[in-house]
Amino acid sequence: TVKFITPKRQCMHCEDPTCVRYCPMGGLAIHKEPDGPVLINHDNCIRCLSCVNSCPYGVPQYDPVSNRVLKCTFCFDRLRKGEEPACVSTCIAEALKAGTLTEITALANTAASDGYPVYGLTAGRETSWIYVFPKGVNPEKIIRGTR
């Protein structure tokens, strides 16, 4: 039996982002906003790729065409206008949800109590995303790409 699991791969907007810690620009090129998003200021980025090389999820990528490091912005501009992130509003399968931490945690707790593996729900969460996987899947292997 072949089983395909295709989790959404984007910046996890870590609570304590290694990309920010390893950036030699001291928060001027990449920083975490108080409301969660980790953002890159391309005007201050020196293209050293420390953020690319330090990310435990392998998410930021250098694009030689634009000469920029690219990654998900958590659609911070949409969130601040009260809109959902674009990935959530355009997901035809309705597999993605957005809401307050309380709302999303409640959904994830329900899934966990029904036996679904959940990533990002534990105390001291390391990311701003919570994933619910099919039963029998090891979330750590999928999220970290170690199948």
Side-chain angles (χ1 to χ4, degrees):
T1 302
V2 175
K3 182 190 264 187
F4 291 99
I5 298 172
T6 54
K8 183 176 178 307
R9 299 284 296 170
Q10 82 284 316
C11 179
M12 299 294 276
H13 301 281
C14 299
E15 294 302 311
D16 181 21
T18 57
C19 57
V20 173
R21 279 191 279 132
Y22 281 85
C23 178
M25 297 302 291
L28 297 175
I30 189 167
H31 68 280
K32 183 168 180 73
E33 291 283 312
D35 56 346
V38 175
L39 303 175
I40 298 173
N41 180 332
H42 296 287
D43 293 334
N44 293 336
C45 178
I46 60 173
R47 281 56 166 189
C48 68
L49 305 185
S50 291
C51 58
V52 172
N53 296 324
S54 67
C55 177
Y57 301 102
V59 172
Q61 297 294 309
Y62 175 70
D63 175 31
V65 174
S66 66
N67 191 31
R68 291 182 168 195
V69 173
L70 304 174
K71 62 172 220 53
C72 163
T73 64
F74 217 152
C75 289
F76 73 95
D77 52 333
R78 292 176 57 90
L79 289 174
R80 290 183 181 151
K81 292 189 285 187
E83 299 172 357
E84 294 179 323
C87 60
V88 174
S89 65
T90 61
C91 181
I92 60 172
E94 297 183 8
L96 305 174
K97 305 288 182 210
T100 67
L101 181 58
T102 301
E103 294 166 342
I104 299 302
T105 300
L107 290 172
N109 279 328
T110 298
S113 67
D114 288 342
Y116 292 92
V118 178
Y119 182 90
L121 188 58
T122 58
R125 296 172 32 251
E126 73 176 42
T127 74
S128 294
W129 285 96
I130 297 174
Y131 284 84
V132 177
F133 288 93
K135 292 178 180 175
V137 170
N138 180 337
E140 188 69 28
K141 287 184 176 183
I142 302 296
I143 293 292
R144 303 269 186 192
T146 60
R147 306 203 190 244

